Coordinates of all heavy atoms in Angstrom, one line a residue:
M1 N 170.6 -87.9 -0.8 CA 170.4 -88.6 -2.0 C 171.6 -88.3 -2.9 O 171.9 -87.0 -3.2 CB 169.0 -88.2 -2.7 CG 168.9 -88.6 -4.1 SD 167.3 -88.4 -4.8 CE 166.9 -86.6 -4.5
D2 N 172.3 -89.3 -3.4 CA 173.5 -89.1 -4.2 C 173.2 -89.8 -5.6 O 172.5 -90.8 -5.6 CB 174.7 -89.8 -3.7 CG 175.2 -89.2 -2.3 OD1 175.1 -88.0 -2.2 OD2 175.6 -90.0 -1.5
I3 N 173.5 -89.1 -6.6 CA 173.3 -89.5 -8.0 C 174.6 -89.6 -8.7 O 175.4 -88.7 -8.7 CB 172.4 -88.5 -8.8 CG1 171.0 -88.4 -8.1 CG2 172.1 -89.0 -10.3 CD1 170.0 -87.4 -8.7
D4 N 174.8 -90.9 -9.2 CA 176.0 -91.2 -10.1 C 175.4 -91.5 -11.5 O 174.5 -92.3 -11.7 CB 176.7 -92.4 -9.5 CG 177.3 -92.1 -8.2 OD1 177.8 -91.0 -7.9 OD2 177.2 -93.1 -7.3
I5 N 176.0 -90.8 -12.5 CA 175.7 -91.1 -13.9 C 176.5 -92.3 -14.4 O 177.7 -92.3 -14.2 CB 176.0 -89.9 -14.7 CG1 175.0 -88.7 -14.3 CG2 175.8 -90.2 -16.2 CD1 175.1 -87.4 -15.0
I6 N 175.8 -93.2 -14.8 CA 176.4 -94.5 -15.3 C 176.7 -94.4 -16.8 O 177.8 -94.8 -17.2 CB 175.4 -95.6 -15.2 CG1 175.1 -96.0 -13.7 CG2 176.0 -97.0 -15.8 CD1 174.0 -96.8 -13.4
E7 N 175.8 -93.8 -17.6 CA 176.0 -93.8 -19.1 C 175.3 -92.5 -19.6 O 174.2 -92.2 -19.2 CB 175.5 -95.0 -19.7 CG 175.6 -95.2 -21.1 CD 175.0 -96.5 -21.7 OE1 174.5 -97.3 -20.8 OE2 174.9 -96.6 -22.9
E8 N 175.9 -91.9 -20.6 CA 175.3 -90.8 -21.3 C 175.5 -91.1 -22.8 O 176.5 -91.2 -23.3 CB 175.9 -89.5 -21.0 CG 175.6 -88.8 -19.6 CD 176.3 -87.5 -19.4 OE1 175.7 -86.5 -20.1 OE2 177.3 -87.4 -18.7
D9 N 174.4 -90.9 -23.6 CA 174.4 -91.1 -25.0 C 173.7 -89.9 -25.6 O 172.6 -89.6 -25.4 CB 173.5 -92.4 -25.4 CG 174.2 -93.7 -25.0 OD1 175.5 -93.7 -25.0 OD2 173.5 -94.6 -24.7
E10 N 174.5 -89.3 -26.5 CA 174.0 -88.1 -27.2 C 173.0 -88.6 -28.3 O 173.2 -89.6 -29.0 CB 175.1 -87.3 -27.9 CG 176.1 -86.6 -27.0 CD 175.4 -85.5 -26.3 OE1 174.5 -84.8 -26.9 OE2 175.7 -85.3 -25.1
N11 N 171.9 -87.9 -28.5 CA 171.0 -88.1 -29.5 C 170.6 -86.9 -30.3 O 169.6 -86.2 -30.0 CB 169.6 -88.7 -29.0 CG 168.8 -89.4 -30.0 OD1 168.8 -88.9 -31.2 ND2 168.0 -90.3 -29.5
P12 N 171.5 -86.4 -31.2 CA 171.4 -85.0 -31.8 C 170.1 -84.9 -32.7 O 169.6 -83.8 -32.8 CB 172.6 -84.9 -32.7 CG 173.2 -86.2 -32.8 CD 172.7 -87.1 -31.7
M13 N 169.6 -86.0 -33.2 CA 168.4 -86.0 -34.1 C 167.2 -85.4 -33.2 O 166.3 -84.7 -33.8 CB 168.1 -87.3 -34.7 CG 169.1 -87.7 -35.7 SD 169.1 -86.8 -37.2 CE 167.6 -87.3 -37.8
L14 N 167.1 -85.8 -32.0 CA 165.9 -85.4 -31.1 C 166.4 -84.4 -30.1 O 165.6 -84.1 -29.2 CB 165.4 -86.6 -30.4 CG 164.8 -87.8 -31.4 CD1 164.4 -89.0 -30.5 CD2 163.7 -87.2 -32.1
H15 N 167.6 -83.8 -30.3 CA 168.1 -82.7 -29.4 C 168.0 -83.1 -27.9 O 167.5 -82.3 -27.1 CB 167.2 -81.4 -29.6 CG 167.1 -81.0 -31.0 ND1 168.1 -80.3 -31.6 CD2 166.2 -81.2 -32.0 CE1 167.8 -80.0 -32.9 NE2 166.6 -80.5 -33.1
R16 N 168.6 -84.3 -27.6 CA 168.6 -84.8 -26.3 C 169.8 -85.6 -26.0 O 170.5 -86.0 -26.9 CB 167.2 -85.5 -25.9 CG 167.2 -86.8 -26.5 CD 165.9 -87.7 -26.0 NE 166.0 -88.9 -26.6 CZ 164.9 -89.6 -27.1 NH1 163.7 -89.0 -27.0 NH2 165.0 -90.8 -27.4
T17 N 169.9 -85.9 -24.7 CA 170.9 -86.8 -24.1 C 170.2 -87.9 -23.4 O 169.4 -87.5 -22.4 CB 172.0 -86.1 -23.3 OG1 172.6 -85.1 -24.0 CG2 173.0 -87.0 -22.8
D18 N 170.5 -89.1 -23.7 CA 169.8 -90.2 -22.9 C 170.9 -90.5 -21.7 O 172.0 -90.8 -21.9 CB 169.6 -91.4 -23.7 CG 168.6 -91.2 -24.9 OD1 167.8 -90.3 -24.7 OD2 168.8 -91.8 -25.9
V19 N 170.3 -90.5 -20.5 CA 171.1 -90.7 -19.2 C 170.7 -91.9 -18.5 O 169.5 -91.9 -18.1 CB 171.1 -89.4 -18.4 CG1 172.0 -89.6 -17.2 CG2 171.6 -88.2 -19.2
R20 N 171.5 -92.7 -18.1 CA 171.3 -93.8 -17.2 C 172.0 -93.4 -15.9 O 173.2 -93.0 -16.0 CB 171.8 -95.2 -17.7 CG 171.1 -95.7 -18.8 CD 170.9 -97.2 -18.8 NE 169.9 -97.6 -19.9 CZ 168.7 -97.8 -19.7 NH1 168.1 -97.5 -18.6 NH2 167.9 -98.1 -20.8
F21 N 171.4 -93.6 -14.8 CA 172.0 -93.2 -13.5 C 171.6 -94.0 -12.4 O 170.7 -94.9 -12.5 CB 171.4 -91.7 -13.2 CG 170.0 -91.5 -13.1 CD1 169.3 -91.7 -11.9 CD2 169.3 -91.3 -14.3 CE1 168.0 -91.6 -11.8 CE2 167.9 -91.1 -14.2 CZ 167.2 -91.3 -13.0
E22 N 172.4 -93.9 -11.3 CA 172.1 -94.6 -10.1 C 171.9 -93.7 -8.9 O 172.7 -92.8 -8.7 CB 173.2 -95.6 -9.7 CG 173.0 -96.5 -8.5 CD 174.2 -97.5 -8.4 OE1 175.2 -97.1 -7.9 OE2 174.0 -98.6 -8.9
V23 N 170.8 -93.8 -8.1 CA 170.6 -93.0 -7.0 C 170.8 -93.8 -5.7 O 170.3 -94.9 -5.6 CB 169.1 -92.5 -7.0 CG1 168.8 -91.6 -5.8 CG2 168.9 -91.7 -8.3
T24 N 171.6 -93.2 -4.8 CA 171.8 -94.0 -3.5 C 171.0 -93.1 -2.5 O 171.2 -91.9 -2.4 CB 173.3 -93.9 -3.2 OG1 174.0 -94.6 -4.3 CG2 173.5 -94.7 -1.8
H25 N 170.1 -93.8 -1.7 CA 169.2 -93.0 -0.8 C 169.2 -93.9 0.5 O 169.4 -95.0 0.6 CB 167.8 -92.9 -1.4 CG 167.3 -94.1 -2.1 ND1 166.6 -95.1 -1.4 CD2 167.4 -94.6 -3.3 CE1 166.3 -96.1 -2.2 NE2 166.6 -95.8 -3.4
E26 N 168.8 -93.1 1.6 CA 168.8 -93.7 2.9 C 167.4 -94.2 3.3 O 167.2 -95.1 3.9 CB 169.2 -92.7 3.9 CG 170.8 -92.3 3.9 CD 171.6 -93.5 4.0 OE1 171.4 -94.3 5.0 OE2 172.6 -93.7 3.3
E27 N 166.4 -93.4 2.9 CA 165.0 -93.8 3.2 C 164.4 -94.5 2.1 O 165.0 -95.2 1.3 CB 164.3 -92.5 3.5 CG 164.8 -91.6 4.7 CD 164.8 -92.3 6.0 OE1 163.8 -93.0 6.3 OE2 165.8 -92.3 6.7
A28 N 163.1 -94.4 1.9 CA 162.3 -95.0 0.8 C 162.7 -94.5 -0.5 O 163.5 -93.5 -0.6 CB 160.9 -94.8 1.0
T29 N 162.3 -95.1 -1.6 CA 162.6 -94.7 -2.9 C 162.2 -93.2 -3.1 O 161.0 -92.9 -2.8 CB 161.9 -95.5 -4.0 OG1 162.2 -96.9 -3.8 CG2 162.3 -95.1 -5.3
P30 N 163.1 -92.4 -3.6 CA 162.7 -91.0 -3.7 C 161.8 -90.8 -4.8 O 161.6 -91.6 -5.7 CB 164.1 -90.2 -4.2 CG 164.9 -91.3 -4.6 CD 164.4 -92.7 -3.9
S31 N 160.9 -89.7 -4.8 CA 159.9 -89.4 -5.8 C 160.5 -89.1 -7.1 O 161.7 -88.7 -7.2 CB 159.0 -88.3 -5.3 OG 159.7 -87.1 -5.3
R32 N 159.7 -89.3 -8.2 CA 160.2 -88.9 -9.5 C 160.6 -87.5 -9.6 O 161.6 -87.2 -10.3 CB 159.1 -89.3 -10.5 CG 159.4 -89.0 -12.0 CD 158.1 -89.4 -12.8 NE 157.7 -90.8 -12.7 CZ 158.2 -91.7 -13.5 NH1 159.0 -91.4 -14.5 NH2 157.7 -93.0 -13.4
L33 N 159.8 -86.6 -9.0 CA 160.1 -85.1 -9.1 C 161.3 -84.8 -8.5 O 162.1 -83.9 -8.9 CB 158.9 -84.4 -8.5 CG 157.5 -84.5 -9.4 CD1 156.4 -83.8 -8.7 CD2 157.8 -84.3 -10.8
S34 N 161.6 -85.4 -7.2 CA 162.9 -85.1 -6.5 C 164.0 -85.5 -7.3 O 165.0 -84.9 -7.2 CB 162.8 -85.6 -5.0 OG 162.8 -87.0 -5.0
V35 N 164.0 -86.7 -7.9 CA 165.0 -87.2 -8.7 C 165.3 -86.3 -9.9 O 166.4 -85.9 -10.2 CB 164.9 -88.7 -9.1 CG1 165.9 -89.2 -10.1 CG2 164.8 -89.6 -7.8
R36 N 164.2 -85.9 -10.5 CA 164.2 -85.0 -11.7 C 164.9 -83.7 -11.4 O 165.8 -83.2 -12.0 CB 162.8 -84.7 -12.2 CG 162.8 -83.7 -13.4 CD 161.5 -83.2 -13.7 NE 161.0 -82.3 -12.6 CZ 160.1 -81.5 -12.7 NH1 159.3 -81.5 -13.8 NH2 159.9 -80.7 -11.8
D37 N 164.6 -83.1 -10.1 CA 165.1 -81.8 -9.8 C 166.6 -82.0 -9.5 O 167.5 -81.1 -9.8 CB 164.4 -81.3 -8.6 CG 162.9 -80.8 -8.9 OD1 162.6 -80.7 -10.2 OD2 162.1 -80.7 -8.0
S38 N 166.9 -83.0 -8.8 CA 168.3 -83.3 -8.4 C 169.2 -83.6 -9.6 O 170.3 -83.0 -9.7 CB 168.5 -84.5 -7.4 OG 167.8 -84.2 -6.2
L39 N 168.7 -84.3 -10.6 CA 169.4 -84.6 -11.8 C 169.6 -83.4 -12.6 O 170.6 -83.1 -13.1 CB 168.7 -85.7 -12.6 CG 169.4 -86.2 -13.9 CD1 170.8 -86.8 -13.4 CD2 168.6 -87.3 -14.5
A40 N 168.6 -82.6 -12.7 CA 168.6 -81.3 -13.4 C 169.6 -80.4 -12.9 O 170.5 -79.7 -13.6 CB 167.3 -80.6 -13.4
A41 N 169.7 -80.2 -11.6 CA 170.7 -79.4 -10.9 C 172.1 -79.9 -11.1 O 173.0 -79.2 -11.4 CB 170.4 -79.3 -9.4
M42 N 172.2 -81.3 -11.2 CA 173.5 -81.8 -11.3 C 174.1 -81.6 -12.7 O 175.2 -81.4 -12.9 CB 173.5 -83.4 -11.1 CG 174.7 -84.1 -11.2 SD 174.3 -85.8 -10.7 CE 175.9 -86.6 -11.3
L43 N 173.2 -81.6 -13.7 CA 173.5 -81.4 -15.1 C 173.4 -79.9 -15.6 O 173.6 -79.6 -16.7 CB 172.6 -82.2 -16.0 CG 172.8 -83.7 -15.8 CD1 171.7 -84.6 -16.6 CD2 174.2 -84.2 -16.1
N44 N 173.1 -79.0 -14.7 CA 172.9 -77.6 -14.9 C 172.0 -77.3 -16.1 O 172.1 -76.6 -17.0 CB 174.3 -76.9 -15.4 CG 175.3 -76.9 -14.2 OD1 174.9 -76.8 -13.2 ND2 176.5 -77.1 -14.6
K45 N 170.8 -78.0 -15.8 CA 169.6 -77.9 -16.8 C 168.5 -77.4 -16.0 O 168.3 -77.6 -14.8 CB 169.3 -79.3 -17.4 CG 170.3 -79.9 -18.3 CD 170.4 -78.9 -19.6 CE 170.8 -79.6 -20.8 NZ 170.6 -78.8 -22.0
D46 N 167.4 -77.0 -16.7 CA 166.2 -76.6 -16.2 C 165.4 -77.9 -15.9 O 165.5 -78.9 -16.7 CB 165.4 -75.7 -17.2 CG 164.1 -75.1 -16.6 OD1 163.9 -75.1 -15.4 OD2 163.2 -74.9 -17.4
A47 N 164.6 -77.9 -14.8 CA 163.9 -79.2 -14.5 C 162.9 -79.5 -15.6 O 162.6 -80.7 -15.8 CB 163.1 -79.0 -13.2
Q48 N 162.4 -78.5 -16.4 CA 161.5 -78.9 -17.5 C 162.2 -79.6 -18.7 O 161.5 -80.1 -19.6 CB 160.7 -77.7 -18.0 CG 159.7 -77.2 -16.9 CD 158.7 -76.2 -17.5 OE1 158.8 -75.9 -18.6 NE2 158.0 -75.6 -16.6
E49 N 163.4 -79.6 -18.7 CA 164.2 -80.2 -19.8 C 164.5 -81.7 -19.5 O 165.1 -82.4 -20.3 CB 165.6 -79.4 -20.0 CG 165.3 -78.0 -20.5 CD 166.6 -77.2 -20.6 OE1 167.6 -77.7 -20.2 OE2 166.5 -76.1 -21.0
V50 N 164.3 -82.1 -18.3 CA 164.6 -83.5 -17.8 C 163.3 -84.3 -17.7 O 162.4 -83.8 -17.0 CB 165.3 -83.4 -16.5 CG1 165.6 -84.9 -16.0 CG2 166.6 -82.6 -16.6
V51 N 163.2 -85.5 -18.4 CA 162.0 -86.4 -18.3 C 162.6 -87.7 -17.7 O 163.3 -88.3 -18.5 CB 161.4 -86.5 -19.6 CG1 160.2 -87.4 -19.5 CG2 160.9 -85.1 -20.2
I52 N 162.1 -88.0 -16.6 CA 162.5 -89.3 -15.9 C 161.6 -90.4 -16.5 O 160.3 -90.3 -16.3 CB 162.4 -89.2 -14.4 CG1 163.1 -88.2 -13.8 CG2 162.7 -90.6 -13.7 CD1 164.7 -88.3 -13.9
H53 N 162.1 -91.4 -17.2 CA 161.3 -92.5 -17.7 C 161.2 -93.7 -16.8 O 160.1 -94.3 -16.9 CB 161.9 -92.9 -19.1 CG 161.4 -92.1 -20.2 ND1 160.3 -92.6 -21.0 CD2 161.6 -90.9 -20.7 CE1 160.1 -91.7 -21.9 NE2 160.9 -90.7 -21.8
E54 N 162.3 -93.9 -16.1 CA 162.3 -95.2 -15.3 C 163.0 -95.1 -14.0 O 164.0 -94.4 -14.0 CB 162.9 -96.3 -16.3 CG 163.0 -97.6 -15.7 CD 163.6 -98.5 -16.7 OE1 163.3 -98.6 -17.9 OE2 164.6 -99.2 -16.3
L55 N 162.4 -95.5 -13.0 CA 163.1 -95.7 -11.7 C 162.9 -97.1 -11.2 O 161.7 -97.6 -11.1 CB 162.6 -94.6 -10.7 CG 162.8 -93.2 -10.9 CD1 162.1 -92.4 -9.9 CD2 164.3 -92.9 -10.8
D56 N 164.0 -97.9 -10.9 CA 163.8 -99.3 -10.5 C 164.6 -99.5 -9.3 O 165.8 -99.4 -9.2 CB 164.4 -100.3 -11.7 CG 164.2 -101.6 -11.4 OD1 163.3 -102.0 -10.7 OD2 165.0 -102.4 -11.8
T57 N 163.9 -99.8 -8.2 CA 164.5 -100.2 -7.0 C 164.3 -101.6 -6.6 O 163.1 -102.1 -6.6 CB 164.0 -99.3 -5.8 OG1 164.0 -97.9 -6.1 CG2 164.6 -99.6 -4.5
K58 N 165.4 -102.4 -6.3 CA 165.2 -103.8 -6.0 C 164.8 -103.8 -4.5 O 165.2 -102.9 -3.6 CB 166.5 -104.5 -6.1 CG 167.0 -104.5 -7.6 CD 166.1 -105.3 -8.4 CE 166.7 -105.4 -9.8 NZ 165.7 -105.4 -10.8
F59 N 163.9 -104.8 -4.1 CA 163.4 -104.8 -2.8 C 164.5 -104.9 -1.7 O 165.4 -105.7 -1.9 CB 162.5 -106.1 -2.6 CG 161.9 -106.2 -1.3 CD1 160.9 -105.5 -1.0 CD2 162.5 -107.1 -0.4 CE1 160.4 -105.6 0.3 CE2 161.9 -107.3 0.9 CZ 160.9 -106.5 1.3
G60 N 164.5 -104.1 -0.7 CA 165.4 -104.0 0.3 C 166.7 -103.2 0.0 O 167.6 -103.2 0.9
M61 N 166.9 -102.8 -1.2 CA 168.2 -102.1 -1.5 C 168.1 -100.6 -1.3 O 167.0 -100.1 -1.3 CB 168.5 -102.4 -3.0 CG 168.6 -103.9 -3.3 SD 170.1 -104.6 -2.5 CE 171.4 -103.9 -3.3
R62 N 169.2 -100.0 -1.1 CA 169.2 -98.5 -1.0 C 169.7 -97.8 -2.3 O 170.1 -96.7 -2.2 CB 170.1 -98.2 0.2 CG 169.6 -98.7 1.5 CD 168.5 -97.9 2.0 NE 168.1 -98.3 3.3 CZ 166.9 -98.4 3.8 NH1 166.0 -97.9 3.0 NH2 166.6 -98.7 5.0
T63 N 169.6 -98.5 -3.4 CA 170.0 -97.9 -4.6 C 168.8 -98.1 -5.6 O 168.2 -99.0 -5.6 CB 171.3 -98.5 -5.2 OG1 171.1 -99.9 -5.4 CG2 172.5 -98.2 -4.3
T64 N 168.7 -97.1 -6.5 CA 167.7 -97.1 -7.5 C 168.5 -96.8 -8.8 O 169.1 -95.8 -8.9 CB 166.6 -96.0 -7.2 OG1 166.0 -96.3 -6.0 CG2 165.6 -95.9 -8.3
V65 N 168.2 -97.6 -9.8 CA 168.7 -97.3 -11.2 C 167.6 -96.7 -12.0 O 166.4 -97.1 -12.0 CB 169.2 -98.6 -11.8 CG1 169.6 -98.4 -13.3 CG2 170.2 -99.2 -10.9
G66 N 167.9 -95.6 -12.7 CA 167.0 -94.9 -13.6 C 167.5 -94.6 -14.9 O 168.6 -94.7 -15.2
Y67 N 166.5 -94.1 -15.7 CA 166.7 -93.7 -17.0 C 166.0 -92.4 -17.3 O 164.8 -92.2 -16.9 CB 166.2 -94.7 -18.0 CG 166.2 -94.4 -19.4 CD1 167.4 -94.1 -20.1 CD2 165.0 -94.2 -20.2 CE1 167.4 -93.8 -21.5 CE2 165.0 -93.9 -21.5 CZ 166.2 -93.7 -22.1 OH 166.1 -93.2 -23.5
A68 N 166.7 -91.4 -17.9 CA 166.1 -90.1 -18.1 C 166.5 -89.6 -19.4 O 167.6 -90.0 -20.0 CB 166.6 -89.1 -17.1
K69 N 165.7 -88.7 -20.1 CA 166.0 -88.0 -21.3 C 166.1 -86.5 -20.9 O 165.3 -86.0 -20.3 CB 164.8 -88.2 -22.4 CG 164.8 -89.7 -22.7 CD 163.7 -89.9 -23.7 CE 163.5 -91.3 -24.0 NZ 162.3 -91.5 -24.9
V70 N 167.3 -86.0 -21.3 CA 167.6 -84.7 -21.0 C 167.6 -83.8 -22.4 O 168.5 -84.0 -23.2 CB 169.0 -84.5 -20.2 CG1 169.3 -83.0 -20.0 CG2 169.1 -85.3 -19.1
Y71 N 166.7 -82.9 -22.5 CA 166.5 -82.2 -23.7 C 167.3 -80.8 -23.7 O 167.6 -80.4 -22.7 CB 165.0 -82.0 -24.0 CG 164.2 -83.3 -24.3 CD1 163.8 -84.0 -23.4 CD2 164.3 -83.6 -25.7 CE1 163.0 -85.1 -23.7 CE2 163.6 -84.8 -26.0 CZ 163.0 -85.6 -25.0 OH 162.4 -86.7 -25.4
D72 N 167.5 -80.4 -24.9 CA 168.2 -79.1 -25.1 C 167.3 -77.9 -24.6 O 167.9 -76.9 -24.2 CB 168.6 -78.9 -26.5 CG 169.7 -79.8 -27.0 OD1 170.4 -80.4 -26.1 OD2 169.9 -80.0 -28.2
S73 N 166.0 -78.0 -24.7 CA 165.1 -77.0 -24.3 C 163.8 -77.6 -23.9 O 163.4 -78.8 -24.4 CB 164.9 -76.0 -25.4 OG 164.1 -76.5 -26.5
P74 N 163.0 -76.9 -23.1 CA 161.6 -77.4 -22.8 C 160.7 -77.6 -24.0 O 159.9 -78.5 -24.1 CB 161.1 -76.3 -21.9 CG 162.2 -75.7 -21.3 CD 163.3 -75.7 -22.3
A75 N 160.9 -76.8 -25.0 CA 160.1 -77.0 -26.3 C 160.4 -78.3 -27.0 O 159.4 -78.9 -27.5 CB 160.4 -75.8 -27.2
H76 N 161.7 -78.7 -27.0 CA 162.0 -80.0 -27.6 C 161.4 -81.1 -26.9 O 160.9 -82.1 -27.4 CB 163.5 -80.2 -27.7 CG 164.2 -79.4 -28.7 ND1 165.1 -78.4 -28.3 CD2 164.1 -79.3 -30.1 CE1 165.5 -77.8 -29.5 NE2 164.9 -78.3 -30.6
A77 N 161.3 -81.0 -25.6 CA 160.7 -82.0 -24.7 C 159.2 -82.1 -25.0 O 158.6 -83.2 -25.2 CB 161.0 -81.7 -23.3
Q78 N 158.6 -80.9 -25.2 CA 157.2 -80.9 -25.4 C 156.8 -81.5 -26.8 O 155.7 -82.2 -27.0 CB 156.6 -79.5 -25.4 CG 156.8 -78.8 -24.1 CD 155.7 -79.3 -23.1 OE1 154.7 -79.7 -23.4 NE2 156.1 -79.3 -21.8
D79 N 157.7 -81.3 -27.8 CA 157.5 -81.8 -29.1 C 157.7 -83.4 -29.2 O 157.0 -84.0 -30.0 CB 158.5 -81.1 -30.1 CG 158.2 -79.7 -30.3 OD1 157.1 -79.2 -30.0 OD2 159.1 -79.0 -30.8
V80 N 158.7 -83.9 -28.5 CA 159.0 -85.2 -28.8 C 158.2 -86.2 -27.7 O 157.8 -87.2 -28.2 CB 160.5 -85.4 -28.5 CG1 161.0 -86.9 -28.6 CG2 161.3 -84.7 -29.6
E81 N 158.2 -85.8 -26.5 CA 157.7 -86.8 -25.5 C 156.1 -87.0 -25.6 O 155.4 -86.1 -26.0 CB 158.0 -86.2 -24.0 CG 159.4 -86.3 -23.7 CD 159.9 -87.7 -23.6 OE1 159.1 -88.7 -23.1 OE2 161.0 -88.1 -24.0
Q82 N 155.7 -88.2 -25.1 CA 154.3 -88.4 -25.1 C 153.6 -87.7 -23.9 O 154.3 -87.3 -22.9 CB 154.2 -90.0 -24.9 CG 154.7 -90.8 -26.1 CD 154.6 -92.2 -25.7 OE1 154.6 -92.7 -24.6 NE2 154.6 -93.1 -26.7
D83 N 152.3 -87.4 -24.1 CA 151.7 -86.6 -23.1 C 151.7 -87.2 -21.7 O 151.8 -86.5 -20.7 CB 150.2 -86.4 -23.5 CG 150.1 -85.4 -24.7 OD1 151.1 -84.7 -25.0 OD2 149.1 -85.5 -25.4
H84 N 151.5 -88.5 -21.6 CA 151.5 -89.1 -20.3 C 152.8 -89.1 -19.5 O 152.9 -89.0 -18.4 CB 151.0 -90.6 -20.3 CG 152.0 -91.5 -20.9 ND1 152.2 -91.7 -22.2 CD2 152.9 -92.4 -20.2 CE1 153.1 -92.7 -22.4 NE2 153.6 -93.0 -21.2
M85 N 154.0 -89.1 -20.3 CA 155.3 -88.9 -19.7 C 155.5 -87.5 -19.2 O 156.1 -87.1 -18.1 CB 156.4 -89.2 -20.6 CG 156.5 -90.7 -20.9 SD 156.6 -91.8 -19.4 CE 158.0 -91.3 -18.7
L86 N 155.0 -86.5 -20.0 CA 155.1 -85.1 -19.6 C 154.2 -84.9 -18.2 O 154.6 -84.1 -17.4 CB 154.6 -84.1 -20.7 CG 155.5 -84.1 -22.0 CD1 154.9 -83.3 -23.0 CD2 156.9 -83.7 -21.5
E87 N 153.0 -85.6 -18.3 CA 152.2 -85.4 -17.0 C 152.8 -86.0 -15.9 O 152.8 -85.4 -14.8 CB 150.9 -86.1 -17.4 CG 149.7 -85.3 -16.9 CD 148.4 -86.0 -17.4 OE1 148.0 -85.7 -18.6 OE2 147.8 -86.7 -16.7
R88 N 153.5 -87.2 -16.0 CA 154.2 -87.8 -14.9 C 155.2 -86.9 -14.3 O 155.5 -86.9 -13.1 CB 154.7 -89.2 -15.2 CG 153.8 -90.2 -15.4 CD 154.6 -91.5 -15.6 NE 153.7 -92.6 -15.9 CZ 154.1 -93.8 -16.3 NH1 155.4 -94.0 -16.6 NH2 153.2 -94.8 -16.6
N89 N 155.9 -86.2 -15.2 CA 157.1 -85.4 -14.8 C 156.6 -83.9 -14.6 O 157.5 -83.1 -14.3 CB 158.2 -85.5 -15.9 CG 158.9 -86.8 -15.8 OD1 159.9 -86.9 -15.1 ND2 158.5 -87.8 -16.6
K90 N 155.4 -83.8 -14.6 CA 154.8 -82.4 -14.3 C 155.3 -81.3 -15.2 O 155.4 -80.1 -14.8 CB 155.1 -82.0 -12.8 CG 154.6 -83.0 -11.8 CD 153.1 -83.0 -11.6 CE 152.6 -83.8 -10.4 NZ 151.6 -84.8 -10.8
T91 N 155.7 -81.6 -16.4 CA 156.2 -80.6 -17.2 C 155.1 -80.0 -18.1 O 155.1 -78.8 -18.5 CB 157.3 -81.0 -18.2 OG1 156.9 -82.2 -19.0 CG2 158.6 -81.4 -17.4
A92 N 154.0 -80.7 -18.4 CA 152.9 -80.3 -19.1 C 152.1 -79.2 -18.4 O 151.8 -78.2 -19.0 CB 152.0 -81.4 -19.6
G93 N 151.8 -79.5 -17.1 CA 151.1 -78.5 -16.3 C 151.9 -77.2 -16.1 O 151.3 -76.1 -16.1
E94 N 153.2 -77.2 -15.8 CA 154.0 -76.1 -15.6 C 154.1 -75.2 -16.8 O 154.0 -73.9 -16.7 CB 155.4 -76.5 -15.2 CG 155.4 -77.1 -13.9 CD 156.9 -77.7 -13.6 OE1 157.8 -77.4 -14.3 OE2 157.0 -78.6 -12.7
E95 N 154.0 -75.7 -18.0 CA 154.1 -75.0 -19.3 C 152.8 -74.2 -19.4 O 152.8 -73.0 -19.8 CB 154.2 -75.9 -20.5 CG 154.5 -75.2 -21.8 CD 155.9 -74.8 -22.0 OE1 156.8 -75.2 -21.2 OE2 156.1 -74.1 -23.0
A96 N 151.7 -74.8 -19.1 CA 150.3 -74.2 -19.2 C 150.3 -73.0 -18.2 O 149.6 -72.0 -18.5 CB 149.2 -75.2 -19.1
E97 N 150.8 -73.2 -17.0 CA 150.6 -72.2 -16.0 C 151.4 -71.0 -16.3 O 151.0 -69.8 -16.0 CB 151.1 -72.8 -14.6 CG 150.2 -73.8 -14.0 CD 150.7 -74.4 -12.7 OE1 151.8 -74.0 -12.3 OE2 150.1 -75.4 -12.3
E98 N 152.6 -71.0 -17.0 CA 153.4 -70.0 -17.3 C 152.8 -69.1 -18.4 O 153.1 -67.9 -18.5 CB 154.8 -70.4 -17.7 CG 155.6 -71.0 -16.5 CD 156.9 -71.6 -17.0 OE1 157.2 -71.5 -18.2 OE2 157.6 -72.1 -16.2
A99 N 152.0 -69.8 -19.3 CA 151.5 -69.1 -20.5 C 150.4 -68.1 -20.1 O 150.0 -67.9 -19.1 CB 151.0 -70.1 -21.5

């Protein structure tokens, strides 16, 4: 799985960067968590600081276009993001397990 960043927009008011990216994959569409982990590693961030909002694969294509929000810290992500998005990205549960 290869990830290419298409666009990055700084959002200092919310302590985050909005990222549009393209994933090239050989098999089926990769899972949200595997994309999150790969994108976090690519950006030198913790996985809990990255929230994947959208993954869009056209039928029969080997590329997926996505949208993610990369926060400065996991606390900022917890404050700003909606609960269902944190649940989808498994950041809400991980925070509770660590406490």
Side-chain angles (χ1 to χ4, degrees):
M1 169 172 51
D2 295 326
I3 298 179
D4 295 320
I5 295 179
I6 299 170
E7 181 182 355
E8 285 186 76
D9 292 324
E10 292 291 325
N11 192 338
M13 293 290 289
L14 295 175
H15 306 282
R16 73 176 185 218
T17 303
D18 298 334
V19 178
R20 292 216 174 268
F21 57 92
E22 184 177 84
V23 180
T24 306
H25 45 86
E26 293 300 317
E27 301 296 320
T29 303
S31 71
R32 180 181 299 265
L33 297 180
S34 66
V35 172
R36 177 194 73 167
D37 293 342
S38 297
L39 187 62
M42 183 178 167
L43 297 172
N44 294 326
K45 291 293 209 172
D46 182 27
Q48 291 195 5
E49 297 173 355
V50 178
V51 178
I52 303 291
H53 269 262
E54 183 180 304
L55 290 174
D56 182 33
T57 305
K58 300 292 184 216
F59 181 76
M61 300 295 288
R62 298 283 185 216
T63 58
T64 300
V65 177
Y67 170 66
K69 296 177 182 175
V70 182
Y71 288 89
D72 292 342
S73 72
H76 287 118
Q78 296 288 331
D79 290 343
V80 176
E81 285 298 323
Q82 297 173 338
D83 291 338
H84 75 277
M85 287 310 295
L86 293 173
E87 223 172 277
R88 280 187 190 172
N89 286 274
K90 304 286 190 230
T91 55
E94 292 172 15
E95 187 83 8
E97 290 173 9
E98 291 175 2

